Amino acid sequence: MFQQKQRGRSAHIASSHNTTLKRRARYSMGIGGALGAVLLTVITIAPANASAGAGAGAGAADDDALSTSINAPLAAARNAAGDSLDPAGFWTEEKLQSAIPLDLLPDTTGSDRRSEPPAESDESSDEGVTLSDPVAPLQSSEITPFADPVASTVGRLFFNTPNGPSSCTASTINNANKNLLITAGHCVHQGGGGAWYSNFLFAPSYYDGPSAQGYWSWSNARTFNSWMDSSDFTHDQAFIAVYPNNGTQIVDAVGGNGLVTGAGPVQSNVRVWGYPADPPFTGEIPYYCDGNTTAVAFSSDASFPCGMNGGASGGPWLKDRINVNLGYTWAITSRCETTPGTTDCALTNLRSTPNTRDVVTMFNLM
């Protein structure tokens, strides 16, 4: 049952699961089963024309054995100190309004690799290894990170694809440079030998429009070669570094979650954030689910009972939370269970392979 209440109060979707999907109301400070269908779909549709790379004109990539990066065009670097919406000059308010959440783009590839189960993981422990700890925003007279009760570390990620403007979910990660986002690999690259996306723009605490923190433009993005080459869902993670906004790094402005690798698929007290976009959602409002994850048989996946759908891709799975804004990201939303015979999310469970130790290597390169 979808329940809508007046603005300023939370709305939720009630279900038989032990998780309730809640809409995060900008003006409300309150904090807010059984396994369904067995088919899976990644919460994306790969656009056609992979050869027409959306990243054309970007800087040279910095490769290693496991992952590859792409740099923002030099124009963005030259203009990063400016106060325009997009230093690279691509985004306008009209393009942002027209962005279609990635999973809603047409699929003309004829492939159905989205239903393939991931390979077994070679590692697992209950708690995992901590790569960084959560950090609160710096306080200053110019930055008011807690002005919006929507989680300050979570936001909407805009980017351009060969089929036009699109969006996913992303969140900040505390790192030495204080400039890092994590999202899904399929939110930065088509996978399966396809092309990079480009013009990444992050809007923290997005709620029917940008928050007081505005937009943050990318400097480079990195994802796993195995995702790029063969759509390997066990490596469906990506990092994006962003330029400072008016001289302030994003983690200093909004805070950053910690990062954990090697955590087991069974975790309790998990919170997952996302911007679901298929009906009854619009992609304009952030939602979260609270609950416990379970292991998926014959798979490295964790399953989480949550009724989000497309647009939630890349959203953080947080454990050991210390407040509404901060926790440890141990996985990100990669796929959803689907209704049998369709590629539509069944609004039952989300799936993700928890961050493996390969994420350590990629994190250290950012």
Side-chain angles (χ1 to χ4, degrees), residues 37-301:
V38 297
L39 295 179
L40 297 180
T41 180
V42 63
I43 308 184
T44 179
I45 297 296
N49 303 322
S51 60
D62 176 18
D63 302 350
D64 81 323
L66 293 175
S67 63
T68 299
S69 73
I70 186 171
N71 297 326
L74 293 178
R78 288 195 299 269
N79 296 321
D83 57 0
S84 63
L85 185 153
D86 175 20
F90 174 79
W91 290 103
T92 62
E93 292 293 347
E94 290 74 21
K95 286 182 178 178
L96 291 170
Q97 289 297 317
S98 69
I100 301 173
L102 187 62
D103 58 292
L104 300 180
L105 292 174
D107 182 8
T108 57
T109 63
S111 66
D112 192 27
R113 61 174 179 264
R114 293 164 295 166
S115 61
E116 296 175 2
E120 292 283 353
S121 175
D122 61 355
E123 62 164 332
S124 178
S125 64
D126 289 337
E127 295 301 321
V129 177
T130 299
L131 300 186
S132 70
D133 292 311
V135 61
L138 297 178
Q139 298 295 319
S140 78
S141 59
E142 296 181 355
I143 300 173
T144 55
F146 298 115
D148 298 314
V150 177
S152 66
T153 57
V154 180
R156 196 170 175 192
L157 178 68
F158 296 91
F159 47 93
N160 194 36
T161 78
N163 285 352
S166 191
S167 69
C168 276
T169 302
S171 59
T172 58
I173 292 290
N174 185 27
N175 70 331
N177 295 324
K178 306 296 182 183
N179 66 348
L180 197 60
L181 311 177
I182 191 170
T183 188
H186 69 261
C187 293
V188 304
H189 191 280
Q190 286 178 297
W196 284 96
Y197 303 137
S198 66
N199 297 106
F200 300 101
L201 195 71
F202 181 62
S205 300
Y206 188 95
Y207 188 108
D208 265 339
S211 71
Q213 299 301 335
Y215 297 102
W216 301 72
S217 185
W218 73 304
S219 62
N220 64 83
R222 179 179 291 273
T223 193
F224 287 111
N225 296 334
S226 60
W227 170 258
M228 296 169 62
D229 296 339
S230 58
S231 299
D232 173 12
F233 291 124
T234 67
H235 289 78
D236 186 18
Q237 298 95 2
F239 289 114
I240 299 174
V242 296
Y243 283 115
N245 195 335
N246 293 321
T248 301
Q249 298 289 358
I250 191 167
V251 172
D252 290 334
V254 305
N257 292 307
L259 184 65
V260 167
T261 64
V266 179
Q267 300 290 332
S268 60
N269 222 8
V270 172
R271 174 165 290 181
V272 172
W273 285 94
Y275 286 81
D278 290 331
F281 309 106
T282 65
E284 291 288 313
I285 305 296
Y287 287 76
Y288 67 89
C289 292
D290 288 334
N292 304 324
T293 62
T294 56
V296 178
F298 310 110
S299 168
S300 59
D301 274 357

